[in-house]
Amino acid sequence: MKPVPAVLACAALALAGAQPSAARAQGAGQGQVSADYSVTFLGLSIGRGTMVSTSDGRNYRTTLDVRVTGVAAIFSGGSGTATATGQIRGATPVPSSFTVAIRSGGKVETTRIAMAGGNVTGVERDPDKPPHPRATPVLPEHLRGVLDPLSAGIFVAGGSGPVAGAAACERRTPVFGGRERFDLIYSFVETRQVEIGGYKGEAAVCRVRFEPIAGYRPDRNDIQSARQRSAEVVLVPVRGTRTLLPAKITLSTGYGTGIAQATRLALDPGQPPARRAAAD
């Protein structure tokens, strides 16, 4: 995999974690939070992203827009939009739909996933390219008890300890993106004081590893390399809740280091959107 697309893909997946919908499960009432991100590789700007998540107290809807910018646009222009919907039960997301559209070179590729009770009930891809003949098959058991890439990014600190403590990170998340099935394995590194995107205070720092499960060619060098590396994710708390969202993601590749970092964070779900926009 080429370095710029690899970093953009990983950053987009990490930014998908910027979904605070579980805040509603913590009794904070309905509302909206949002964030803007920049993506750099070797210090050069290669992409930007915007996330908006809303909830009515039970149902959530999150949209993530990512676009290639800067020097990367010369080689690989394009943009993407992903949307996830579902419900929060306790502190657990139960997605109902996921849609992603990738636009590049005048073409659009879309993937739609229907889900119920944590299980995939249908997948539509346009164009529907057949899997590579050497890819490991995605079996029915791989599609049970999974999350879509956006819903997989809900971070809730369990228990009653510090929100930016170990409880924010320790988890193994099964993810299905429409073709590939993988796990994201998070572990706690430390609680750190940060100042990012207008937020200043404590953050939970997690290490995350990628574990391919199905839908991949086992002989691909980029997949084997990804398994051997880890990314660092900095999570900041949504005000008045035990939910956190990513403020910074750092990924080291064989070509260099990519960073996705918030340039603006709106972390008060109780503030009306219009008022928050004026404040920004």
Side-chain angles (χ1 to χ4, degrees), residues 41-274:
F41 182 69
L42 295 174
L44 300 174
S45 175
I46 63 170
R48 294 189 177 279
T50 297
M51 180 281 304
V52 177
S53 185
T54 59
S55 174
D56 63 4
R58 182 181 180 186
N59 304 292
Y60 67 83
R61 178 184 178 88
T62 295
T63 298
L64 175 69
D65 289 303
V66 179
R67 59 192 179 278
V68 178
T69 63
V71 66
I74 301 174
F75 304 100
S76 179
S79 62
T81 301
T83 300
T85 65
Q87 295 183 342
I88 297 294
R89 297 178 184 173
T92 303
V94 182
S96 57
S97 70
F98 172 76
T99 302
V100 60
I102 306 297
R103 298 170 288 275
S104 180
K107 299 179 180 180
V108 180
E109 295 187 9
T110 61
T111 299
R112 297 180 177 86
I113 305 175
M115 305 180 73
N119 303 321
V120 174
T121 58
V123 180
E124 295 180 6
R125 292 184 291 264
D126 185 17
D128 190 11
K129 301 176 183 178
H132 193 280
R134 292 201 300 273
T136 56
V138 178
L139 303 176
E141 54 263 35
H142 294 142
L143 303 181
R144 293 193 287 268
V146 298
L147 300 175
D148 65 80
L150 282 182
S151 299
I154 295 179
F155 292 88
V156 180
S160 58
V163 175
C169 298
E170 302 293 344
R171 70 194 64 219
R172 182 173 184 135
T173 304
V175 185
F176 178 67
R179 189 178 295 276
E180 295 87 8
R181 169 69 174 83
F182 58 92
D183 284 356
L184 295 176
I185 306 167
Y186 295 87
S187 57
F188 179 67
V189 177
E190 63 177 351
T191 298
R192 182 184 301 170
Q193 289 288 328
V194 302
E195 188 170 354
I196 303 174
Y199 170 83
K200 184 177 182 179
E202 289 189 339
V205 180
C206 314
R207 181 174 292 108
V208 57
R209 294 191 300 107
F210 165 81
E211 182 67 29
I213 303 297
Y216 295 92
R217 284 172 49 191
D219 58 345
R220 277 177 51 179
N221 291 333
D222 58 333
I223 296 299
Q224 297 306 319
S225 177
R227 294 185 67 181
Q228 298 169 9
R229 299 177 184 272
S230 63
E232 181 184 270
V233 181
V234 178
L235 302 174
V236 299
V238 175
R239 185 175 302 174
T241 78
R242 296 189 63 80
T243 302
L244 308 94
L245 73 149
K248 183 178 181 180
I249 304 99
T250 303
L251 173 68
S252 295
T253 73
Y255 302 95
T257 299
I259 298 174
Q261 180 165 315
T263 58
R264 179 191 63 86
L265 291 165
L267 300 173
D268 186 351
Q271 185 177 351

